């Protein structure tokens, strides 16, 4: 039974990353473009930014081709030569996503931790923490998954995702009432941030909470 639960968690992680993770990443990048949170967006014509973009595009091609040698070389180049660019962080997300698809969750965690160090306190660091917590849930490390997103500011748009992760982790510890409360908080935070709350509502309903 435990093995089946672990497989279900892993399948949910892959599905979340494919569908929900891409949606969330798009929202983060759109927000960065609006507020100019990174120098890259303030000076997007710079030669260094263009080079980082080109290396990242090559990285995506290498991932699609499953070219491990090229992936490693491009990841190292972006991390070492363009560490202040968001593309270095995005490269680590690509590495983590590939590792998840291959079932290597430890490697995914390593990549997400590198992403957090590169992003520092920027929004992509919060995204990395959310994804790290999802991986930890798939590893049945629910206690750790509860701790990982705690540094996310309650006033941040990421509060909804932090609460949602709590709601995902708590049932695995038998704490269903707390999980329902976490999903309710996540749903309210999503509404406040004008985000889609339908998935959170479905999760809450699955736990016997109100659907709306």
């Amino acid at each position: 039974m435990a093995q089946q639960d672990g497989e279900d968690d892993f399948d949910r992680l892959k599905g979340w990353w494919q569908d929900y993770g891409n949606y969330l990443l798009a929202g983060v990048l759109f927000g960065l473009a609006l507020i100019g949170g990174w120098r890259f967006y303030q000076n997007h014509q710079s030669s260094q930014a263009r080079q980082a973009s080109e290396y990242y595009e090559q990285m995506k091609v290498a991932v699609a081709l499953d070219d491990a040698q090229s992936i490693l070389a491009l990841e190292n180049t972006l991390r070492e030569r363009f560490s202040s660019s968001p593309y270095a962080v995005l490269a680590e997300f690509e590495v983590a996503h590939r590792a998840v698809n291959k079932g290597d969750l430890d490697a995914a965690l390593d990549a997400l931790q590198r992403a957090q160090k590169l992003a520092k306190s920027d929004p992509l660091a919060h995204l990395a923490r959310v994804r790290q917590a999802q991986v930890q849930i798939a590893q049945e490390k629910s206690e750790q998954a509860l701790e990982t997103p705690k540094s996310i500011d309650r006033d941040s748009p990421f509060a909804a995702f932090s609460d949602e992760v709590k709601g995902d982790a708590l049932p695995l510890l038998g704490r269903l009432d707390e999980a329902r409360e976490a999903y309710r908080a996540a749903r309210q935070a999503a509404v406040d941030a004008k985000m889609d709350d339908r998935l959170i509502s479905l999760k809450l309903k699955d736990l016997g909470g109100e659907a709306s």
Side-chain angles (χ1 to χ4, degrees), residues 8 11 17 20 33-34 54 57 63-64 100 142 160 169 176 193 203:
D8 290 343
D11 290 339
W17 201 301
Y20 204 25
L34 287 177
E54 290 168 2
E57 289 303 317
V63 170
V100 166
S142 299
L176 298 183
K203 291 181 177 183

Side-chain angles (χ1 to χ4, degrees), residues 25-190:
L25 177 57
V28 171
L29 293 179
F30 179 69
L32 288 172
L34 287 177
I35 66 176
W38 263 310
R39 187 174 181 181
F40 168 76
Y41 289 106
Q42 298 167 336
N43 189 22
H44 59 84
Q45 295 299 325
S46 71
S47 174
Q48 190 169 35
R50 286 198 301 271
Q51 289 179 40
S53 173
E54 290 168 2
Y55 279 120
Y56 177 63
E57 289 303 317
Q58 292 176 37
M59 175 87 167
K60 291 197 294 184
V61 172
V63 170
L65 296 174
D66 200 23
D67 183 347
Q69 185 173 354
S70 294
I71 291 168
L72 179 60
L74 290 163
E75 177 198 7
N76 288 337
T77 296
L78 283 162
R79 187 170 65 244
E80 293 170 6
R81 292 179 53 190
F82 305 97
S83 60
S84 62
S85 166
Y87 287 116
V89 183
L90 297 179
E92 298 299 344
F93 285 161
E94 291 288 344
V95 171
H97 190 182
R98 176 174 179 266
V100 166
N101 286 337
K102 289 182 172 296
D104 190 349
L105 300 185
D106 287 336
L109 284 181
D110 288 343
L112 292 170
Q113 287 165 358
R114 290 193 297 271
Q116 290 173 52
K117 290 179 181 178
L118 289 165
K120 299 178 182 176
S121 60
D122 287 314
L124 285 178
H126 297 324
L127 176 55
R129 291 186 186 96
V130 170
R131 290 186 169 181
Q132 180 179 337
Q134 292 285 352
V135 172
Q136 289 167 329
I137 290 170
Q139 291 181 313
E140 300 183 5
K141 297 178 179 178
S142 299
E143 293 283 3
Q144 292 181 28
L146 292 174
E147 294 294 322
T148 296
K150 277 190 172 180
S151 61
I152 295 176
D153 194 321
R154 293 302 310 168
D155 295 327
S156 162
F158 285 87
F161 301 108
S162 175
D163 288 330
E164 184 181 357
V165 165
K166 287 173 60 179
D168 293 343
L170 286 164
L172 304 179
L173 300 171
R175 295 157 61 179
L176 298 183
D177 288 342
E178 293 176 72
R180 284 187 281 268
E181 286 303 312
Y183 283 143
R184 290 187 186 102
R187 187 174 61 186
Q188 186 59 55

